[in-house]
Every structure is written in C-alpha cells, then in structure tokens.
Amino acid sequence: MPTLNHAEGELYYDVIDLTPAWVDDPPSVLFMHGLGFDGTIWADWLPAMAARFRLVTIDMRGCGRSSVPEAGYPWSFDGIAEDILAVSDAAGCGDRIHFVGESLGGIMGYHLAIHHPDRLHTVVSINASHQGGWIGGNVGDWDRVMQTEGIEAWSRSMMEFRFGAGVISDAHYAYLDGLQTRSARHVILEVSGELLRKMDLKPRLASISTPLLLLMGEASPFVSVECACDIRSAVGGAAQLHVIAGARHGVAISHSRECIGATLAFIGRHCET
C-alpha cells in the first residue's frame, strides 16, 4: 500500500502491473475519483485493462486513505494537479499518462490538458462539468443538509443521484454509501464551494489539443448532456462525446462495462498500446 509524502500530507495510491514481462515500458493509465469516493471505485476497470496497461489509482488528498487537511486548507486545481503528477512520478508512469477521471477527477482531466498537456497521451472525463453554473443537483444545499440532517442524509441523496434502482448490487451500494458517510464533511463542503461552484474553465478549453473523451450518463442530475455538448463545442476537434443511455452520475460504476469499452476503443484510436 504505497503512500507519497507530498505538500505536507500523505497521498495513497495503488499500482497494478500485470503486463507481460517482455513488454518494456508499458503505457500507464492513472485513475482519479470524485468527491466522497476513493480509488476502490475502479474495481471493475482494473481487470479489464490490466493486461495492456500499468494501472495507478489515487486517493485524492482529503479522501479515502490519503491525509485529510484541516479545515481552511487552500484548495486549488493547481494543487490537486501537483498531487496527481507527483503520484504519477512516484509510481513510475513515465513522462506521459492516459488519464481517466470521474466527476471532480474528470474536471482535473480538463485542467491537466490545459496546463500540463506534455504529461498526457489521452484524457477520459466522466460526468464532469467545466463551469460551476452548469452543475445541477443539490450542490448548493449540501451545507444545510449536513448541518441539519447529517452526512448520512447527504450520502443517501447522493446515492440516489448516482444510481438508479438495481443497477449495482446491494453490497456494492452499501459499500459506496459507507465511503461517503466516512468522508470529511469540511473537505466535501470546501472543495464543492471553493472550486466546483466557482470554476470557469470554458475560456481555456479551446487550447486543449490532447485527445479527450467525454463519457456522460444521459440522466446525471449534476452534469447534463447539454453541458457535455458545450464542452465538446468549446474544445473542438480533440473532443469526442459518448452518452450512455439511462445512466445517472455514477456511470463509471453502474455502467462500467460500456465505459471501459469506450475508453479502450478511444485510447486505441489515438495511441499505440
């Protein structure tokens, strides 16, 4: 269970390398989750991709098994990007990675493509907005819900936004609900309030030249298909959109098979693996 001491905190990550011994320097895929989750959400993805790639999952600072900063930490997209790249280096990913992120992780894919394109082969962004004004759902009500009803009530509402009835097993549902209820309340509120609701990446999207796949759940309450179309239009020819019918915000988990297939096809079209 490797950890990296970086910027006054420990970052937890896992490396899965089952590529054949005769393959020199296999390409690396680095995965980043969104708020309330950790690197274990990619469990379905890893066996499907492990024969072709070195795989790295990261627990974002403040989430999962990584260090939780005290309230008032100066959250920034630049700081999260520095954490991601530090883990990439520590995990031996080489100069460039394929990056896969969901929700906040997907937003970090845009940020990396804008500010660190030299570190990327491709980006797969899953249910991720580009402007705070596009984010739907009940994000503006999170503070009140946590204050008056507790983080358990917040998690219940999030699970309804993420998953329709019966799309994952009861055990899987309970596990993910548990991840959310163990989250640090101040991290959820500070990151959503200071970063997500205030962000405006649209003016810089046209600078993205890294191949970008937008994976979107058709029924996500937080990120609409119209939002995805706006991103694709702003990025231009580097962006491709794949909409998954009926999926809510947890599409990377509930519809992992379709997401994985689209991701592998996308990477294959743009890079030799």
Side-chain angles (χ1 to χ4, degrees):
M1 297 188 293
T3 58
L4 171 67
N5 287 309
H6 179 70
E8 301 180 358
E10 282 195 339
L11 300 171
Y12 177 95
Y13 65 97
D14 272 322
V15 180
I16 300 93
D17 190 352
L18 301 179
T19 56
W22 56 88
V23 176
D24 292 328
D25 193 23
S28 295
V29 180
L30 191 148
F31 297 87
M32 183 178 167
H33 59 86
L35 278 177
F37 283 163
D38 65 17
T40 61
I41 70 163
W42 304 104
D44 287 343
W45 291 64
L46 304 182
M49 299 180 71
R52 296 170 58 186
F53 303 94
R54 295 178 71 257
L55 306 175
V56 180
T57 63
I58 181 174
D59 285 8
M60 189 188 96
R61 184 184 301 272
C63 299
R65 296 150 290 186
S66 291
S67 294
V68 177
E70 294 183 358
Y73 179 80
W75 293 101
S76 69
F77 291 130
D78 285 336
I80 299 172
E82 289 176 7
D83 286 347
I84 293 168
L85 296 178
V87 167
S88 178
D89 291 339
C93 292
D95 294 336
R96 303 171 78 190
I97 58 173
H98 299 282
F99 182 84
V100 178
E102 68 98 22
S103 197
L104 173 58
I107 294 169
M108 290 312 304
Y110 307 145
H111 183 90
L112 291 169
I114 291 167
H115 296 281
H116 302 279
D118 57 313
R119 300 297 305 270
L120 301 169
H121 287 300
T122 62
V123 169
V124 177
S125 176
I126 307 170
N127 273 356
S129 182
H130 58 317
Q131 292 178 307
W134 277 99
I135 298 176
N138 66 339
V139 176
D141 205 33
W142 284 1
D143 194 2
R144 183 200 63 78
V145 171
M146 290 189 187
Q147 289 274 15
T148 61
E149 304 176 55
I151 197 167
E152 294 81 6
W154 169 80
S155 182
R156 285 195 299 271
S157 69
M158 284 294 294
M159 293 299 286
E160 292 176 2
F161 287 153
R162 292 188 193 275
F163 305 110
V167 296
I168 60 174
S169 70
D170 291 345
H172 199 174
Y173 192 98
Y175 175 80
L176 296 171
D177 184 41
L179 285 183
Q180 293 186 153
T181 57
R182 292 191 298 273
S183 298
R185 174 180 170 273
H186 69 276
V187 170
I188 300 294
L189 295 179
E190 289 176 358
V191 173
S192 62
E194 294 303 312
L195 291 185
L196 300 186
R197 294 171 64 193
K198 296 180 180 179
M199 72 172 170
D200 184 7
L201 302 181
K202 186 169 182 176
R204 300 294 302 275
L205 291 182
S207 70
I208 293 178
S209 58
T210 302
L212 170 65
L213 174 61
L214 305 167
L215 284 177
M216 293 287 171
E218 179 189 36
S220 169
F222 294 114
V223 185
S224 66
V225 174
E226 290 77 16
C227 175
C229 291
D230 193 62
I231 297 169
R232 182 180 60 180
S233 176
V235 173
Q240 174 184 334
L241 173 61
H242 183 104
V243 178
I244 298 178
R248 298 185 186 176
H249 199 65
V251 62
I253 300 166
S254 61
H255 294 68
S256 58
R257 182 176 298 180
E258 185 171 347
C259 288
I260 294 164
T263 296
L264 288 172
F266 176 75
I267 292 175
R269 284 193 296 272
H270 290 281
C271 298
E272 293 183 5
T273 60

